[in-house]
Amino acid sequence: MSAARVSREARVRMMAAVAIVCTLSAAPLTPRDLVADTPPYSETYRPQFHFTAERNWMNDPNGLVYYEGEYHLFYQYNPNGNSWGDMSWGHAVSADLVHWKQLPLALSYDDNEMVFSGSAVVDWDNTTGFGTKKNPPMVAIYTSHNKSTGIQAQSIGYSTDRGRTWTKYQGNTVIDIGSKDFRDPKVQWYEPTKSWLMTVSLSAEHKVQFYSSKNLKDWKLQSEFGPAGATGGVWECPDLFPLAVDGDPKKTKWVLVVNINPGGIAGGSATQYFVGDYDGKRFTAEDKGTYTPPTGTVVQDFESTDFGSWTTTGTAFGTAPAAGAVDGQGAVSGYDGKGLANSFHSGDGTTGVLASPSFTVDSKYLNFKVGGGRHPHVDGTVMEQGPPPAGTILADFEGGAYGGWTATGDAFGAAPATGTLPNQQEVSGFLGSGLVNSYRNGDSTTGTLTSPEFTIDKNYVNFLVGGGNHPVGSENPTAVELLVDGQVVRSTTGQDGEALDWASWDVKDLAGKKAQIKIVDMNTTGWGHINVDHIMLSDAQAQPVSQETSVNLIVDGKVVRSATGADSEILDWASFDMRPYAGKEAQIQIVDMNTAGWGHILADRFTEADAPAKSVVQRAGWADHGKDYYAAVSWENAPGGKRYMIGWMNNWDYSGAIPTSPWRGAQSIPREMALRTVDGRIRLTSQPVNSVTSLRQGHPASAAGTTVKDTSKTLIGSAAKGKALDIEATFSLRDAERFGLKVRTGANGEETVIGYDTTTQELYVDRSHSGAVDFDSTFPGVQTAPLRAKGGKVHLRILVDWSSVEVFGGSGEAVITDQIFPDPASQGVQVFAENGSVKLDKAVVWRLDSAHK
């Protein structure tokens, strides 16, 4: 994958579509991890049994191969910093997939190329001639990203000393189709044809290509697969492998893994899979048939010549339903009948709201179709930017000079900017005619801009901010900092968009302190700049303006349910669970407050029903339903014919903002994969690699036969607590609506909830109150995975590490992986039941030792 960062920035710049929802922190994002005398691998959030590099940025696993007693894990790595860049292959080896030894850099970037994702094989028959049959070479097949042209092509390198040193092939590249979106080759030996098989992605086209070779140098295209399944983002890091169904070697199916970003099941990055057959040339996915949504009562289908009793504000929706696409818009599809709500009237520059009359909630679900821009609703935003709150202006950057502010470097120039700079997207949202804008000569410049000292004599510091999302604590921040006694006590960054929006710091606890504002741009990569204006002290908090394109359910004046598009003109099903609001007055609002790229929303066919409709994304196959499992690929040559898979435990939505240092990025626990028939369908399942049990300490704490009703209570007592745990629990269903376990519980309501919803038959993880969640608006929330109880029982296996939870439900058919960043003192484990009772048949809790010892 490796190019996800490049692709993501390119898409954002082209679309100018990212809403500015500022990252705020009540304390600096620079964590305790930065204390100089903290020993390696003991930092606050450092995983204890998941692989992390000692220092610097890491993303996709690469080159997974087993050779001479060692599992090799290569990975996308920046040898020069804690943010994405200078991509190379880091390297580690393990004998058991749990205890890892980090080795020197394997394949390094150079002046011409970055070394993006790929795979590795052992060339047993020396088909390449790089070694001998007695000493077969290990061959890496990677995507070479040309730094001057952006072209992605496939290259190879080799090692004849068990992967310790590497040589790039002088004849590189071995496949070049002239594409900037052609990457992540996964290569294996295909015995029936005595040839090498490469699976590689055409990422922007949502296709996978299959090539064959006799020598790993000369390749022939065999076939393509796709588009299919979820296509809301680029396709990356494909993998193809056979597995026996239900353990029967006579019944084998092939699994095609396609990682997608964004557009995953939980938002952002995720790992999709298809089950089917491979005949040596072509992969054919199993036909799932057509989808029929639940029947119900249609309350608005936009088939009339006007909006009826629905009302509009603004001009975005026009005066009547649209008959498909409107002027200047691409083809629109997926709507029912002849009409739909379409806010593209006069393009993306218009805004407005289309609202239903109030109604009494008397159905279980509200199903509808939605498309258009991917700009979610963010709590705390307002529909219109009013005047700034009353207060003291510290700087409005008018008058053509910085006044008493001190500049370093060359990013900020000699005076404030007067708007958009050369080659920059349109900058908006600032007040007056001047602002701070560090896009001087593009993103390549760096510097700081520091205010004179002032006294904090009001409750809030308010300011407008936009630009790049590179927080304090990352290697190269673009941020606004509040300094007290020279220390960063508050910080904020943009969200990769040029529109400025209000941000606020609550500074009541700093009353009377002397302070300074420091605007920092130390980043030279994409979105490596910052926009700032109208810094002021006030007793009132400024509220950011909505940038959403969304369908919202309003109850008691608040947005309680929301859905957005996927940056696509294709409408797809979405559903609101209405059961919590039965009998209440509600309203539907279709909202377009965005004027940038994809700044419009499409909606159709609102239907009251007894069951939820499912989108294409929900109907797709997912190896993991959490937010933090991406770029997953599997090991070749694993002993015993096992198929082990590992993924990058992060999400491109916020990967550069997670509060870790001096490292950023972790790998999931390796998982043993299997195909099982679940509810009549063949599903890809996974379980943690068995060797993780070697970390279990002493005797476990256990409980059995406990009934819990309408409460949360400590599980087993003080024996069942810790920062690194292995938990197995089995529940018998009674009448509770929801039940499960809470881990990493602590003061101030800190908890990560791992539960089961009996009404939706879903496993879920709620990390809304899991600790530090405010570094990105997409981080807090709830992830769900379908899981049916078996024989009235639900079984859970939970791995808790210092900054993650991995939950395996049932036989591994429901898996949720989420990062968490709790206070180190939050170590409790609780059992809970809501709206009824549940029986905890048995729970066993092991404390896990560190794999770093």
Side-chain angles (χ1 to χ4, degrees):
M1 132 131 171
S2 37
R5 177 75 182 212
V6 173
S7 300
R8 182 169 178 255
E9 287 165 355
R11 287 196 305 275
V12 173
R13 286 192 176 279
M14 288 167 53
M15 300 185 300
V18 175
I20 298 293
V21 181
C22 299
T23 300
L24 305 178
S25 62
L29 283 181
T30 306
R32 277 163 284 187
D33 306 349
L34 294 181
V35 177
D37 59 357
T38 302
Y41 297 102
S42 64
E43 302 93 342
T44 301
Y45 300 130
R46 176 74 78 168
Q48 295 300 292
F49 58 92
H50 292 81
F51 178 78
T52 54
E54 182 176 340
R55 302 185 64 85
N56 297 351
W57 170 275
M58 174 181 71
N59 54 286
D60 307 355
N62 296 155
L64 306 182
V65 67
Y66 180 83
Y67 182 54
E68 292 191 357
E70 292 179 325
Y71 293 93
H72 289 262
L73 167 63
F74 300 89
Y75 49 89
Q76 289 289 279
Y77 185 63
N78 180 358
N80 300 318
N82 204 20
S83 58
W84 188 95
D86 293 338
M87 298 317 297
S88 306
W89 276 25
H91 190 195
V93 292
S94 172
D96 63 358
L97 293 171
V98 171
H99 297 84
W100 292 95
K101 177 183 179 182
Q102 190 167 327
L103 296 178
L105 195 67
L107 292 165
S108 177
Y109 78 99
D110 57 33
D111 291 341
N112 299 315
E113 72 172 8
M114 284 196 284
V115 181
F116 280 1
S117 289
S119 53
V121 296
V122 178
D123 184 12
W124 295 104
D125 293 329
N126 194 31
T127 63
T128 56
F130 293 151
T132 66
K133 286 196 174 183
K134 286 189 175 180
N135 184 29
M138 189 181 293
V139 180
I141 308 92
Y142 65 92
T143 294
S144 171
H145 172 80
N146 188 297
K147 293 165 72 171
S148 61
T149 67
I151 296 296
Q152 297 175 2
Q154 313 321 315
S155 293
I156 59 177
Y158 61 93
S159 170
T160 56
D161 58 0
R162 297 168 50 243
R164 268 52 181 181
T165 60
W166 289 83
T167 302
K168 292 180 181 178
Y169 174 48
Q170 290 187 346
N172 281 336
T173 58
V174 296
I175 311 179
D176 186 350
I177 63 173
S179 171
K180 295 183 179 181
D181 293 288
F182 177 54
R183 55 181 176 266
D184 312 335
K186 177 62 188 293
V187 172
Q188 62 189 284
W189 180 255
Y190 186 67
E191 183 62 28
T193 59
K194 305 291 184 184
S195 61
W196 297 103
L197 165 65
M198 177 191 292
T199 307
V200 62
S201 69
L202 290 173
S203 59
E205 298 178 42
H206 309 115
K207 290 182 179 180
V208 170
Q209 289 188 327
F210 302 99
Y211 289 80
S212 65
S213 173
K214 294 295 184 181
N215 60 8
L216 292 171
K217 301 173 184 176
D218 304 298
W219 293 90
K220 180 181 179 182
L221 177 65
Q222 298 294 313
S223 65
E224 292 182 348
F225 172 82
T231 57
V234 294
W235 278 16
E236 300 184 313
C237 302
D239 196 359
L240 180 70
F241 51 84
L243 284 175
V245 178
D246 298 322
D248 184 356
K250 296 181 180 179
K251 185 180 181 183
T252 297
K253 289 285 184 180
W254 285 76
V255 178
L256 175 62
V257 172
V258 180
N259 291 270
I260 181 172
N261 173 65
I265 182 62
S269 314
T271 299
Q272 179 180 200
Y273 73 89
F274 302 88
V275 176
D277 297 297
Y278 180 73
D279 63 5
K281 288 190 175 182
R282 187 176 303 276
F283 175 82
T284 304
E286 290 191 334
D287 185 2
K288 294 183 178 180
T290 58
Y291 175 68
T292 303
T295 58
T297 302
V298 178
V299 296
Q300 176 60 279
D301 58 7
F302 300 109
E303 294 300 300
S304 300
T305 56
D306 58 27
F307 289 123
S309 58
W310 289 47
T311 58
T312 61
T313 62
T315 60
F317 292 93
T319 59
V326 298
D327 290 346
Q329 187 175 24
V332 174
S333 62
Y335 60 98
D336 289 355
K338 298 179 179 179
L340 76 156
N342 185 342
S343 73
F344 196 74
H345 288 80
S346 299
D348 282 328
T350 54
T351 61
V353 177
L354 177 60
S356 77
S358 294
F359 61 94
T360 302
V361 176
D362 59 4
S363 65
K364 293 181 179 179
Y365 295 92
L366 180 69
N367 299 329
F368 55 95
K369 289 192 164 185
V370 64
R374 181 178 178 249
H375 307 287
H377 169 79
V378 177
D379 289 339
T381 56
V382 295
M383 290 296 184
E384 296 182 8
Q385 186 181 80
T392 305
I393 297 175
L394 298 175
D396 60 7
F397 303 107
E398 304 296 319
Y402 284 128
W405 288 60
T406 302
T408 66
D410 51 6
F412 296 97
T418 56
T420 306
L421 294 172
N423 300 315
Q424 187 177 24
Q425 294 175 154
E426 182 181 356
V427 177
S428 62
F430 59 99
L431 300 178
S433 60
L435 77 155
V436 173
N437 183 341
S438 70
Y439 195 72
R440 314 276 172 161
N441 296 317
D443 283 326
S444 63
T445 52
T446 61
T448 65
L449 186 64
T450 306
S451 76
E453 194 173 65
F454 61 92
T455 301
I456 297 176
D457 58 4
K458 296 187 183 300
N459 293 334
Y460 296 94
V461 178
N462 297 323
F463 53 95
L464 291 162
V465 64
N469 180 8
H470 306 284
V472 170
S474 64
E475 191 78 10
N476 301 295
T478 53
V480 185
E481 302 174 349
L482 180 66
L483 306 181
V484 174
D485 296 329
Q487 300 297 311
V488 180
V489 295
R490 303 286 190 275
S491 66
T492 298
T493 184
Q495 286 292 304
D496 293 349
E498 301 293 14
L500 284 77
D501 206 351
W502 284 111
S504 295
W505 292 322
D506 185 333
V507 291
K508 300 185 192 77
D509 61 318
L510 300 173
K513 297 276 191 181
K514 297 288 186 181
Q516 290 177 288
I517 301 289
K518 186 176 184 180
I519 305 172
V520 178
D521 175 0
M522 301 307 295
N523 199 291
T524 60
T525 62
W527 287 109
H529 65 279
I530 185 103
N531 307 326
V532 182
D533 193 21
H534 210 81
I535 304 171
M536 61 181 300
L537 289 165
S538 177
D539 285 329
Q541 186 174 17
Q543 290 184 289
V545 178
S546 168
Q547 300 288 322
E548 67 195 273
T549 53
S550 61
V551 179
N552 297 332
L553 178 69
I554 313 296
V555 176
D556 296 332
K558 296 180 180 180
V559 176
V560 296
R561 293 284 189 269
S562 186
T564 188
D567 290 347
S568 171
E569 305 291 19
I570 304 171
L571 286 80
D572 197 7
W573 284 106
S575 183
F576 290 156
D577 184 349
M578 309 287 277
R579 293 170 300 164
Y581 315 109
K584 290 182 176 288
E585 290 298 302
Q587 185 186 40
I588 303 163
Q589 289 185 352
I590 308 173
V591 180
D592 176 359
M593 296 303 297
N594 198 290
T595 60
W598 283 109
H600 62 280
I601 186 80
L602 313 172
D604 193 23
R605 201 164 183 84
F606 288 84
T607 306
E608 296 177 337
D610 289 333
K614 293 185 177 181
S615 66
V616 169
V617 172
Q618 290 171 309
R619 302 193 310 267
W622 300 99
D624 193 298
H625 282 69
K627 291 279 281 190
D628 294 308
Y629 188 75
Y630 187 62
V633 286
S634 65
W635 268 274
E636 293 299 317
N637 301 347
K642 301 285 189 179
R643 182 62 58 170
Y644 298 117
M645 181 172 282
I646 193 171
W648 178 45
M649 200 159 56
N650 215 331
N651 191 308
W652 280 111
D653 276 357
Y654 45 73
S655 56
I658 59 171
T660 66
S661 182
W663 85 100
R664 183 168 281 117
Q667 305 295 347
S668 73
I669 199 72
R671 301 165 185 188
E672 183 174 350
M673 312 306 291
L675 286 178
R676 291 190 174 92
T677 304
V678 179
D679 301 327
R681 184 164 66 90
I682 298 174
R683 302 264 296 275
L684 182 65
T685 66
S686 60
Q687 294 286 358
V689 63
N690 285 335
S691 50
V692 74
T693 60
S694 67
L695 300 177
R696 291 174 174 175
Q697 294 180 304
H699 297 289
S702 62
T706 301
T707 297
V708 183
K709 183 177 181 180
D710 295 327
T711 189
S712 296
K713 64 180 184 180
T714 300
L715 179 66
I716 309 170
S718 61
K721 68 176 185 178
K723 295 189 292 182
L725 303 170
D726 187 350
I727 304 171
E728 293 195 50
T730 301
F731 295 87
S732 286
L733 274 60
R734 289 192 175 171
D735 60 349
E737 289 186 7
R738 288 170 296 278
F739 61 83
L741 299 173
K742 298 178 180 181
V743 301
R744 298 303 302 269
T745 64
N748 302 316
E750 193 165 285
E751 62 184 18
T752 298
V753 183
I754 299 163
Y756 183 77
D757 188 319
T758 60
T759 56
T760 60
Q761 299 185 83
E762 289 177 326
L763 175 70
Y764 67 90
V765 173
D766 184 349
R767 65 177 180 188
S768 302
H769 304 286
S770 59
V773 299
D774 61 353
F775 52 85
D776 188 276
S777 63
T778 66
F779 185 84
V782 182
Q783 284 66 251
T784 64
L787 177 65
R788 290 192 181 183
K790 295 179 180 177
K793 296 181 183 293
V794 171
H795 179 75
L796 303 177
R797 171 84 179 277
I798 303 166
L799 296 181
V800 181
D801 206 342
W802 285 16
S803 57
S804 66
V805 291
E806 292 167 288
V807 185
F808 301 81
S811 300
E813 67 268 26
V815 185
I816 297 176
T817 299
D818 276 351
Q819 293 182 95
I820 56 173
F821 301 101
D823 188 292
S826 297
Q827 299 188 26
V829 179
Q830 297 180 347
V831 60
F832 75 94
E834 297 177 4
N835 299 325
S837 63
V838 69
K839 181 183 178 185
L840 176 63
D841 294 339
K842 188 175 183 180
V844 184
V845 182
W846 286 270
R847 291 177 178 170
L848 294 183
D849 201 356
S850 173
H852 303 309
K853 294 181 178 179

